[in-house]
Amino acid sequence: MALLKWLLLIVAIYGGALTLVYIGQRSLQYHPDKTRTPPAMAGLPSAEELELKTSDGETVVVWHVPPRGDKPVVLYFHGNGGSLAWRADRFKSFTADGTGLVALSYRGYGGSTGSPTEAGLIADAQAAYAFTAARYPAERIAVWGESLGTGVATALAASQRISRLILESPFTSAADVGAKVYWFLPVQLLMKDAFRSDERIGKITVPVLILHGSADTVVPFGFGRKLFALANEPKRFVRLEGGGHSNLDQFGAQNAIRAFLYGG
């Protein structure tokens, strides 16, 4: 009888944990900085801040740095944490040679309305793409996704005309990453926003660059390799030896991306 009571207690505790994780999963998945910081104040005076309407009625912020001449324009999707302001130094460095930029602040992040969900972030990406495609031909639009943004970038690239796709620290799916962290929970069954890049990347036929740090402890290196194996040719994989998850510029990420954009 005592053993049965212990088993029932364990089941009750486990069931309670499942319920809490299911209800609160999006607060675990998304970590927005909601502060709206103008690009000039963040250190990117070359950028214009604009507001776009999404198909479901939200208002999202983008930073736009026009390209010089006929240089490409990078449509940038950031990761699950922070805001565009956190990445201003990266944008300043990358656009210094005249490369254009359209960087999206997802719903719920940095001045954008709403709350993040997978469907919502993809709708935001579609709005940012429409803005970009109205100004530049598809042959000049490259899409760059960072971490969680690789799921957004892959979804967009599977449905829209672009020239190239850059995936930095990507996963096969967000559910796979979650299952590795919460190995004791049925994450694959519980997760609402799975971002199944493994199911979408096969629809992409433009050149793909995947970069991954060998010491990434957030999205393990092996996930990037698995996604690369699923991608169509032409494709290129860059292993950044010693690189972690959020420090890849220190290991040559921008150089590899410029070579991809300009080197064929």
Side-chain angles (χ1 to χ4, degrees):
M1 184 64 70
L3 178 60
L4 179 59
K5 289 182 178 179
W6 275 109
L7 288 174
L8 291 174
L9 178 61
I10 291 170
V11 169
I13 292 172
Y14 187 74
L18 284 179
T19 301
L20 288 174
V21 169
Y22 183 77
I23 293 172
Q25 62 180 275
R26 286 186 171 130
S27 66
L28 297 173
Q29 189 170 9
Y30 305 104
H31 304 283
D33 176 356
K34 298 183 179 183
T35 305
R36 182 169 185 170
T37 305
M41 187 177 295
L44 191 66
S46 59
E48 175 187 16
E49 183 181 68
L50 300 160
E51 293 183 348
L52 307 178
K53 283 293 184 182
T54 67
S55 59
D56 58 349
E58 300 295 350
T59 301
V60 294
V61 169
V62 296
W63 289 3
H64 177 216
V65 179
R68 289 203 298 264
D70 60 355
K71 292 201 170 187
V73 179
V74 172
L75 182 51
Y76 189 96
F77 302 121
H78 64 72
N80 73 327
S83 64
L84 295 182
W86 291 24
R87 296 157 174 89
D89 288 344
R90 162 175 260 198
F91 297 154
K92 184 176 181 179
S93 174
F94 194 75
T95 58
D97 65 353
T99 301
L101 173 74
V102 176
L104 168 67
S105 181
Y106 307 127
R107 61 187 62 201
Y109 287 74
S112 298
T113 65
S115 299
T117 65
E118 179 177 4
L121 266 58
I122 292 172
D124 300 344
Q126 295 286 358
Y129 175 82
F131 168 86
T132 308
R135 288 156 181 79
Y136 309 103
E139 293 74 19
R140 292 177 63 190
I141 300 172
V143 171
W144 178 355
E146 161 212 334
S147 190
L148 181 77
T150 64
V152 180
T154 301
L156 180 75
S159 65
Q160 299 291 352
R161 291 181 60 239
I162 64 170
S163 66
R164 294 170 189 266
L165 176 64
I166 302 157
L167 302 176
E168 177 188 357
S169 308
F171 43 68
T172 44
S173 74
D176 288 343
V177 177
K180 189 171 182 65
V181 176
Y182 301 100
W183 53 268
F184 50 90
L185 297 174
V187 173
Q188 301 285 359
L189 298 177
L190 295 176
M191 198 160 193
K192 298 175 182 177
D193 299 342
F195 290 96
R196 293 299 303 265
S197 292
D198 53 350
E199 295 180 351
R200 291 169 169 150
I201 199 163
K203 300 175 183 177
I204 296 167
T205 56
V206 298
V208 176
L209 170 67
I210 291 180
L211 309 94
H212 217 122
S214 65
D216 192 334
T217 58
V218 178
V219 179
F221 179 83
F223 287 136
R225 290 296 307 178
K226 288 179 181 178
L227 189 66
F228 179 75
L230 296 171
N232 295 312
E233 295 285 357
K235 59 184 177 179
R236 185 182 308 170
F237 188 93
V238 175
R239 174 190 174 106
L240 297 172
E241 192 62 41
H245 188 69
S246 302
N247 64 349
L248 295 187
D249 284 352
Q250 300 173 31
F251 293 85
Q254 288 199 28
N255 292 335
I257 291 168
R258 282 196 182 90
F260 179 66
L261 287 177
Y262 292 102

